[in-house]
Amino acid sequence: MFLRCNRRKKDGKVHEYWNVVENRRLSDGRVVQRQVLYLGEINASQREAWRKTVEVFDEGRRRQVALFPVGSMPGDDVDAIGVRLSELRLERPRQWGACWLALQMWEELALDDFWRPRLTPSREGTPWEKVLKALVVYRLIDPGSEWRLHRQWYDASALADLLDADFALAEKNTLYRCLDRLVEHKDALFQFLKLRWGELFGARFDVLLYDLTSTYFESDTPRGADDLRQYGYSRDKRGDCRQVVIALIVTPEGFPLSYEVLAGNRTDNGTLSDFLDRIESRYGHARRIWVMDRGIPTEASLAKMREMGAAYLVGTPKGRLSKLEKDFLGRPWQTVREGIQVKHLDVEEDIYVLAQSESRIGKERGMRRKRLRRYLDRLHALQSQKLTRDQLLMKLGAAHKEAGRAASLVHVTLPKGVPETEKTAGLAYRLDRDKLRQVRRREGRYLLRTNLVAHDPGELWTFYVQLTEVEQAFKELKHDLSVRPIYHHDEHRIEAHIFVSFLAYCLQVTLKARLRVRAAGLTPREALAQFKTIQMVDVCVPTVDGRELVLSRYTQPQAEQRMLLDQLCLRLPEQPPPRITAAHLALATQTPLAV
């Protein structure tokens, strides 16, 4: 095995993408290469760490052991059992590796210490803590409904072996009753996670990233005005479905700190004030920096933050840039990094920071040109068509919608004095070049507002671009963990569904943090996919005395999986001990075999 580099030139910069590759010799003598792991862009020190790991595994040797059938074993071995190898069977293949890795992340966060005193077994002996583990691991690895967990997934996984439990964990009503016991511990969990993020990864909480998203319901039943499920602005483009709004706070490193579930018709600018009070009561008063996108804060909420002693850094609508554009003209640009420039302006109690990104200029300009060209081509085609006035308006409206904001750069004049039913030829249009020049000047620029007077403008820009972490959190919650759509009907189970998704996201963030340090270039989903191939099977071997020897064994990891284990400093557990049972009893009780 070796490291291979693929180079790609993008936006004038050369990017290097690394892979772990192995050579395989074919039967005809040719050698082909197989990609073992994709690492992405990694720095020099991380590349050297992977190279050393590859060299270690290239030096490894395998040891062979002989298996003796019945009749050839030593006669004086009192512990020996004769087996019929010709009748060996493999049964119940099930996914083991990803479940084991997920439970390792659960132990890393010490969630057993948190949940053990809160989810004590029931009087009937139901182990609620293990049921919760099953729900969270399922949500992380292969998310779906609780019914699917009960009907299909649990038996197809090795969770029963890893948790030393039986199918009682996945009984349908048990899963739903476990959901009913979770949400009351939400505030305590947030405080526990804050301590764990700090202990494990040195996370700091002086900068908080705040944003909102929505998730919708497939079912639509009449609801009251005080119900969480309401129609509202949908980030999922599902305005036809009822929804709830999720407000989330993460650190700049991506560690989730807190979340709230709000009514689906709650506006963005109506959420911040309540959240400020919750954070203050939950974690105490502190000089925190709140980073938010435009549309969330109002003038009233910003005034409240100043009174509380909190700092803020928020995006502003482009209309405010129009008011301050002349004041910015005489200010010098300051280079923050290659392709990024900022300038600042003091206005009363706030500072405004104007940022300009060359890459963003190219992106926005390319999008605008593409939409504008399509819109102009469509208008030119409509000019030559003979349509009634109603037909023309319908086609013009469709073209306007497709063009988006680019349509405002073109003045369209409809033919006048023509009856609605009479065919008419075309329309007139012209490009507003003054407005186009104004749009070109503002492409790639955005305005920030803050009360952090003593901070450097470059540092403020760095704080703001970290909002991508909370956007990434929403992306992973929706796509990787399938928090949408929600199928539950009871309101407390709706919140429990989001709560379980949040716990699964915490496991994913923990794995991501470990990969970032020890196996850079890999994502949590790629790591889980690698470990999914480690299966567990039951090896059933009949004995000469009519019983059956059952060995539950997970498959040995391949080279890429062994490298991941080495990089993450993880060791696979010992194989489960063998069991012996009566072969003629299909449901016989299996007992451990002394070895």
Side-chain angles (χ1 to χ4, degrees), residues 335-384:
T335 301
V336 177
R337 63 173 66 174
E338 183 180 357
I340 304 295
Q341 295 178 313
V342 297
K343 58 171 65 177
H344 72 282
L345 177 68
D346 296 344
V347 178
E348 297 178 355
E349 69 275 7
D350 287 335
I351 293 178
Y352 288 89
V353 178
L354 180 62
Q356 175 179 276
S357 169
E358 293 181 5
S359 61
R360 186 163 174 172
I361 289 175
K363 179 180 179 180
E364 292 185 4
R365 189 160 294 172
M367 293 171 60
R368 188 257 306 159
R369 285 175 174 171
K370 183 178 180 179
R371 289 178 177 270
L372 182 59
R373 173 48 55 194
R374 285 182 178 178
Y375 187 51
L376 292 175
D377 290 344
R378 182 57 176 158
L379 292 178
H380 180 71
L382 291 175
Q383 267 188 328
S384 59

Side-chain angles (χ1 to χ4, degrees), residues 34 53 59 84 88 175 177 202 214 256 301 343 346 369 381 395 398 423 471 589:
R34 182 179 80 93
T53 302
E59 294 174 358
R84 304 181 186 278
L88 180 146
L175 296 175
R177 288 201 301 269
S214 59
S301 59
K343 58 171 65 177
D346 296 344
R369 285 175 174 171
K395 292 180 179 292
K423 298 288 184 179
E471 295 171 357
T589 303

Side-chain angles (χ1 to χ4, degrees), residues 399-450:
H400 190 283
K401 180 180 180 180
E402 184 180 356
R405 294 180 180 177
S408 64
L409 303 177
V410 181
H411 287 297
V412 179
T413 305
L414 298 174
K416 297 181 179 179
V418 180
E420 295 182 0
T421 57
E422 184 177 338
K423 298 288 184 179
T424 181
L427 70 163
Y429 65 90
R430 65 177 179 84
L431 184 64
D432 189 339
R433 298 189 179 276
D434 292 335
K435 193 169 185 178
L436 177 61
R437 294 188 190 97
Q438 183 185 47
V439 170
R440 281 179 57 87
R441 285 197 306 269
R442 295 182 179 178
E443 285 172 340
R445 295 183 178 184
Y446 46 95
L447 187 64
L448 311 178
R449 180 182 180 183
T450 182

Side-chain angles (χ1 to χ4, degrees), residues 17 60 80 87-88 108 201 302 306 392 444 473 500 526 528 553:
Y17 302 93
E87 301 177 21
L88 180 146
E108 181 98 358
F201 308 108
L302 293 180
R306 288 192 292 267
L392 179 61
V500 170
E526 291 168 342
L528 288 169
R553 292 292 183 266

Side-chain angles (χ1 to χ4, degrees), residues 29-92:
R30 292 184 297 115
V31 175
V32 297
Q33 293 181 346
R34 182 179 80 93
Q35 177 178 303
V36 177
L37 281 177
Y38 173 73
L39 304 178
E41 291 188 273
I42 55 177
N43 58 36
S45 61
Q46 294 164 343
R47 184 169 65 248
E48 290 303 317
W50 278 107
R51 181 173 286 115
K52 292 178 181 178
T53 302
V54 170
E55 292 174 354
V56 168
F57 280 97
D58 277 346
E59 294 174 358
R61 295 291 184 269
R62 294 184 178 180
R63 182 173 63 90
Q64 292 184 347
V65 295
L67 179 63
F68 296 95
V70 61
S72 60
M73 60 185 179
D76 57 349
D77 191 345
V78 296
D79 293 328
I81 297 178
V83 296
R84 304 181 186 278
L85 293 180
S86 61
E87 301 177 21
L88 180 146
R89 306 188 316 277
L90 299 180
E91 297 181 351
R92 291 186 62 221

Side-chain angles (χ1 to χ4, degrees), residues 240-241 464 496 534:
D240 59 319
C241 297
Y464 185 73
I534 302 180

Side-chain angles (χ1 to χ4, degrees), residues 91-205:
E91 297 181 351
R92 291 186 62 221
R94 51 203 184 274
Q95 193 280 116
W96 183 88
C99 295
W100 174 81
L101 182 60
L103 291 176
Q104 290 298 302
M105 297 303 103
W106 181 282
E107 293 181 8
E108 181 98 358
L109 280 178
L111 289 174
D112 281 335
D113 296 339
F114 176 81
W115 286 110
R116 190 172 292 117
R118 293 174 172 84
L119 290 181
T120 56
S122 66
R123 288 181 295 179
E124 295 80 11
T126 304
W128 296 116
E129 183 186 356
K130 292 183 178 181
V131 178
L132 175 59
K133 285 184 182 180
L135 285 166
V136 174
V137 171
Y138 170 62
R139 178 61 50 182
L140 175 65
I141 296 174
D142 191 13
S145 66
E146 285 76 11
W147 174 249
R148 178 170 168 267
L149 168 61
H150 162 74
R151 282 282 290 115
Q152 300 175 357
W153 189 84
Y154 188 78
D155 279 339
S157 74
L159 264 185
D161 304 86
L162 290 165
L163 297 177
D164 191 21
D166 54 20
F167 188 75
L169 294 187
E171 202 278 322
K172 177 171 62 71
N173 293 331
T174 300
L175 296 175
Y176 289 121
R177 288 201 301 269
C178 183
L179 293 177
D180 299 338
R181 290 166 163 80
L182 302 180
V183 180
E184 61 185 281
H185 306 295
K186 184 170 70 171
D187 288 347
L189 177 68
F190 293 158
Q191 297 180 7
F192 177 82
L193 287 175
K194 180 184 176 182
L195 295 176
R196 291 303 294 161
W197 298 136
E199 294 170 358
L200 291 174
F201 308 108
R204 300 179 59 185
F205 305 94

